[in-house]
Amino acid sequence: MNEKSKGRKHLEHPINYHLIKKEKHTGARLGKLETPNGTFETPMFMPVGTQATVKAMSPEELKKIGAGVILSNTYHLWLRPGSDLIEEAGGLHKFMNWDQGILTDSGGFQVFSLADSREITEEGVHFRSHLDGSKLFLTPEKSIQIQNELGSDIMMSFDECPPFDESYDYMKKSIERTTRWAERGLNAHNNWEKQGLFGIVQGGGYKDLRLQHVRDLTSMDFSGYSIGGLSVGETHEEMYEVLDYLTPELPEDKTRYLMGVGTPAALIESVIRGVDIFDCVLPTRIARNGTAMTSQGRVVIKNAVHARDWGPLDPKCDCDTCQNYSRGYLRHLIKTDEILGMRLISIHNLRFLIHLMEQVREAIREDNLLEFKEAFFEEYGYNEPNARTF
């Protein structure tokens, strides 16, 4: 760590985590995430708004279902419409009419998953835009600059996200470079009064590399810590094994963010292992295909069995969709490719996960999270042979 980074140790962060209680029988934590645009109870699920919008949802609808912090994507907004334009509009909050928390990722995952012709150097990553093939160069400093212009509450460090099963030698070099990139990002960040910055722990399935990366990043005193490189093709058992040894090593007074996880089972299991916040595109993505998460399990609304079903999508759900529309009507909308069907199921799926986390928080308060998990899994159908993960 250089002298500039050392001098930043113990700074006042605009993003703070307050631990309320720990569940007696697990590693689950009940807490509050404090941001410049609101304080939110954790554990919490965050809807994904890649292009400065949660697909098919208005900000007013998001508030009604209980959303607190939402995500936007640095890479996509850099390309369209441009972070300078969003800054001119007054920042991302004003641009998208969202006055609560916003988290932006670093753009690193998209560079490695979407872009063509990548070339990783110590300085940064050369690649071609997935939109028009134009040559682009993203560095840790540039990622921070873009996020400073976007004005999100929580920013992510620029990192490489290698495949979970990448070779040990490559992974070791990768996390060491990501550590250097993280320090460069810290030094480039120029809006500490209003924007927090999280470090991202990588290391694949290698325990010693994960723990090394935790030690390296926690020495820099980020506003919080993200766990990256999971939910990228590894088994659930492999993911939970990483969380079992990793989360206890993260600071107790900082938010723990598991990136890209959004199935009900994974949310509950990860909370049990000490994770605080989550995000995933899954609920809105499957909604656009007519698939719903319900208290009785996964429902594919296109199936003929729903054609004359005049009951709600989920009788236990309090969302507008379930209070006002039948399965039969939803099936008609999805079968005819009507936008309203995609919107209504998106509203339900997001409310389902947000409500699930409300129930999880209550279970932590009552010290009965394991009993809640058992009952939820049984009703949802996770104990059935070949049960779907969502």
Side-chain angles (χ1 to χ4, degrees):
M1 195 188 326
N2 66 29
E3 291 304 314
K4 187 174 181 181
S5 297
K6 286 180 181 177
R8 190 177 287 114
K9 189 75 172 173
H10 306 306
L11 52 76
E12 290 296 320
H13 290 280
I15 304 298
N16 291 287
Y17 175 80
H18 303 283
L19 178 63
I20 297 173
K21 73 162 292 184
K22 297 177 76 172
E23 212 254 1
K24 284 184 179 180
H25 311 294
T26 70
R29 295 151 35 108
L30 183 69
K32 288 189 176 181
L33 172 63
E34 182 184 272
T35 81
N37 285 282
T39 298
F40 311 96
E41 285 196 327
T42 63
M44 171 179 63
F45 178 80
M46 304 179 290
V48 176
T50 300
Q51 306 272 12
T53 175
V54 177
K55 290 190 187 302
M57 299 279 291
S58 72
E60 293 75 19
E61 289 166 333
L62 289 168
K63 286 183 180 179
K64 190 170 184 178
I65 64 171
V69 179
I70 61 176
L71 269 70
S72 283
N73 187 277
T74 295
Y75 170 87
H76 288 287
L77 295 178
W78 176 37
L79 299 187
R80 293 184 304 192
S83 54
D84 56 340
L85 186 149
I86 292 175
E87 184 179 36
E88 183 182 329
L92 201 50
H93 291 86
K94 288 187 177 179
F95 184 65
M96 63 188 293
N97 189 34
W98 183 253
D99 60 3
Q100 298 184 172
I102 297 178
L103 184 153
T104 47
D105 58 17
S106 69
F109 181 79
Q110 285 69 35
V111 167
F112 293 102
S113 63
L114 293 179
D116 296 324
S117 305
R118 294 183 305 274
E119 180 189 354
I120 305 171
T121 68
E122 182 64 27
E123 186 61 24
V125 184
H126 296 269
F127 61 98
R128 290 185 179 274
S129 166
H130 76 289
L131 296 176
D132 59 12
S134 59
K135 292 182 179 180
L136 297 168
F137 184 46
L138 191 58
T139 66
E141 293 82 3
K142 183 65 176 178
S143 173
I144 296 300
Q145 178 195 333
I146 295 166
Q147 294 180 79
N148 281 155
E149 291 173 349
L150 294 174
S152 54
D153 300 277
I154 303 174
M155 312 189 307
M156 292 295 124
S157 299
F158 187 61
D159 67 324
E160 180 186 2
C161 183
F164 186 83
D165 58 356
E166 184 59 82
S167 72
Y168 183 91
D169 289 344
Y170 184 92
M171 192 70 76
K172 188 174 191 301
K173 293 176 182 176
S174 174
I175 65 163
E176 290 170 351
R177 180 173 54 238
T178 290
T179 297
R180 294 190 293 271
W181 285 358
E183 186 171 9
R184 285 166 54 188
L186 271 174
N187 293 332
H189 183 19
N190 62 12
N191 193 21
W192 279 103
E193 291 184 1
K194 296 182 179 179
Q195 294 179 277
L197 178 61
F198 282 26
I200 304 177
V201 180
Q202 296 284 357
Y206 302 106
K207 182 176 181 179
D208 61 328
L209 297 184
R210 285 279 184 181
L211 297 181
Q212 175 190 327
H213 210 205
V214 168
R215 289 191 296 270
D216 292 342
L217 293 178
T218 53
S219 73
M220 298 185 210
D221 193 33
F222 284 94
S223 300
Y225 293 90
S226 308
I227 303 167
L230 294 178
S231 194
V232 290
E234 80 283 0
T235 66
H236 285 99
E237 290 74 18
E238 288 172 323
M239 180 173 77
Y240 301 149
E241 181 182 355
V242 171
L243 295 178
D244 280 335
Y245 63 71
L246 186 58
T247 51
E249 302 302 317
L250 293 170
E252 195 167 74
D253 62 344
K254 297 290 179 71
T255 305
R256 302 165 179 174
Y257 166 31
L258 179 55
M259 309 176 79
V261 169
T263 66
L267 292 175
I268 295 172
E269 293 284 6
S270 301
V271 166
I272 286 171
R273 290 162 171 82
V275 178
D276 304 309
I277 62 175
F278 307 84
D279 80 285
C280 193
V281 299
L282 179 69
T284 49
R285 178 172 289 170
I286 64 173
R288 296 194 297 278
N289 295 321
T291 299
M293 302 171 177
T294 78
S295 57
Q296 288 80 43
R298 176 176 173 268
V299 170
V300 179
I301 205 68
K302 287 183 179 179
N303 290 349
V305 67
H306 305 300
R308 289 178 168 82
D309 187 338
W310 313 125
L313 189 55
D314 186 345
K316 293 188 175 182
C317 182
D318 61 2
C319 77
D320 283 351
T321 301
C322 293
Q323 295 301 308
N324 296 292
Y325 302 96
S326 69
R327 290 189 179 197
Y329 180 59
L330 293 172
R331 179 178 186 270
H332 160 69
L333 294 176
I334 294 297
K335 291 284 285 185
T336 53
D337 293 323
E338 286 290 341
I339 294 171
L340 180 59
M342 303 175 196
R343 280 175 36 74
L344 291 176
I345 299 178
S346 294
I347 289 169
H348 166 75
N349 280 353
L350 286 175
R351 176 57 190 159
F352 179 82
L353 291 184
I354 289 169
H355 179 57
L356 172 63
M357 301 311 280
E358 292 170 354
Q359 293 173 291
V360 165
R361 293 197 295 268
E362 185 59 29
I364 297 173
R365 285 188 184 93
E366 300 298 324
D367 290 311
N368 64 355
L369 184 55
L370 293 178
E371 290 86 348
F372 172 81
K373 168 193 163 181
E374 183 178 358
F376 178 87
F377 278 25
E378 183 176 357
E379 186 173 18
Y380 200 85
Y382 281 130
N383 298 326
E384 298 174 4
N386 304 314
R388 292 293 297 262
T389 57
F390 60 86

